[in-house]
Amino acid sequence: MKEAIVIEEITKNFKGLCAVDHVSLKIKEGEIFGLLGINGAGKTTLIRMLSCLSKPSSGDAQIMGLSLTKDSAKIKEIINISPQETAVAGNLSVRENLEFIASLYYKDKQVIKGKAESLIEKFNLEEVAKKRAKLLSGGMQRRLSIAMALVSTPKILFLDEPTLGLDVIARKELWNVIKELKKSITIILTTHYMEEAENLADRIGIMVKGRLVALGTAKQLKKQAGESKFEDAFIKIAEGGAL
């Protein structure tokens, strides 16, 4: 399996503070990769660099073979982000939200309508397609927000806390949606829910003080930390700084 992302000694400094410290990492095509860390660990800064929102102080990354430092304009065409804040227009219907986003990428009206309808079907939004987004449940809003990020057919999707604030049922319903996506797209997932990372991620990277200190499957990380529960393994790694 090919690598979708190859990170090479990437570093980010802010006024003497090293937010990301020489991180190297490979993420495979079609993989759901979980990036974990307590607040201030550097994961958000790393994601901002990989999504071309911030330039690295040193190092580089190859995104589908494109250099982060040299080809950022081309990289932006093949990635997208579903932010932590639900990014929907509340007064527009589900269909109108999708058609509006599609109109930013495509000119042909039939293509725009086709993109919207395809995503409505893919995300099981048929029953609420005519409903204004602000009247949707939190779970449906998050589902719509992720669908909107897929309008451009990105090869890599960054999911930032996709189920934040959702109840248990809505969270698990969204997990099923995300699992379906891995068949056709590479996903980098950030979350504070340990159960979510364990259930969704093929592999997990844990950051502490700007460094990537642990990498592996949830099962491997539990074994390395000597813990039966992934949450306990994460805490042990985060507090210890390394295994």
Side-chain angles (χ1 to χ4, degrees):
M1 190 178 292
K2 296 180 180 178
E3 276 87 24
I5 300 175
V6 179
I7 304 170
E8 304 161 337
E9 294 287 317
I10 203 165
T11 299
K12 183 66 177 183
N13 298 311
F14 292 107
K15 298 179 179 178
L17 172 68
C18 186
V20 174
D21 187 4
H22 295 87
V23 168
S24 294
L25 173 67
K26 294 180 180 180
I27 299 173
K28 299 173 184 177
E29 284 188 26
E31 184 175 25
I32 298 180
F33 185 85
L35 188 62
L36 306 184
I38 62 173
N39 290 336
K43 62 185 186 300
T44 299
T45 302
L46 178 59
I47 292 296
R48 285 181 59 81
M49 287 190 285
L50 295 177
S51 55
C52 304
L53 295 175
S54 177
K55 293 182 179 180
S57 301
S58 64
D60 199 359
Q62 303 295 316
I63 312 290
M64 301 301 291
L66 298 169
S67 166
L68 190 65
T69 57
K70 299 174 183 177
D71 305 309
S72 60
K74 291 180 180 178
I75 290 173
K76 288 177 183 178
E77 295 176 1
I78 61 171
I79 67 172
N80 216 327
I81 305 168
S82 182
Q84 187 177 126
E85 304 79 17
T86 303
V88 301
N91 286 322
L92 296 182
S93 71
V94 167
R95 181 175 282 107
E96 287 168 341
N97 266 284
L98 290 166
E99 288 182 351
F100 171 71
I101 295 298
S103 71
L104 301 179
Y105 294 97
Y106 311 100
K107 294 181 180 179
D108 188 291
K109 289 184 179 180
Q110 288 304 115
V111 172
I112 291 169
K113 288 183 178 296
K115 281 283 180 180
E117 290 305 317
S118 174
L119 288 164
I120 285 170
E121 182 179 347
K122 186 179 185 73
F123 282 80
N124 296 317
L125 294 166
E126 293 95 338
E127 291 185 7
V128 296
K130 296 180 180 179
K131 199 170 184 178
R132 283 197 287 177
K134 68 181 181 182
L135 301 178
L136 300 177
S137 66
M140 281 295 184
Q141 286 192 13
R142 290 299 297 161
R143 192 176 293 204
L144 173 58
S145 183
I146 294 172
M148 290 165 65
L150 292 174
V151 165
S152 63
T153 317
K155 293 182 178 180
I156 296 172
L157 177 66
F158 296 93
L159 288 181
D160 186 12
E161 301 284 350
T163 65
L164 183 68
L166 299 186
D167 61 50
V168 174
I169 294 174
R171 183 177 300 142
K172 291 194 174 181
E173 286 178 347
L174 199 53
W175 287 0
N176 292 331
V177 172
I178 294 169
K179 285 176 181 177
E180 282 296 312
L181 293 177
K182 80 172 271 190
K183 297 174 183 178
S184 58
I185 193 170
T186 304
I187 297 174
I188 293 83
L189 167 78
T190 64
T191 180
H192 280 100
Y193 297 120
M194 297 300 105
E195 184 186 7
E196 182 162 288
E198 188 170 10
N199 274 273
L200 290 180
D202 297 300
R203 289 188 305 146
I204 296 166
I206 299 176
M207 292 188 69
V208 176
K209 296 180 180 179
R211 296 174 57 244
L212 186 70
V213 299
L215 176 65
T217 65
K219 185 177 181 180
Q220 288 170 338
L221 294 176
K222 285 189 291 186
K223 184 177 180 180
Q224 290 171 29
E227 300 288 347
S228 60
K229 294 182 179 179
F230 181 67
E231 182 174 357
D232 293 335
F234 170 78
I235 292 170
K236 188 172 185 178
I237 294 166
E239 288 181 345
L243 291 177

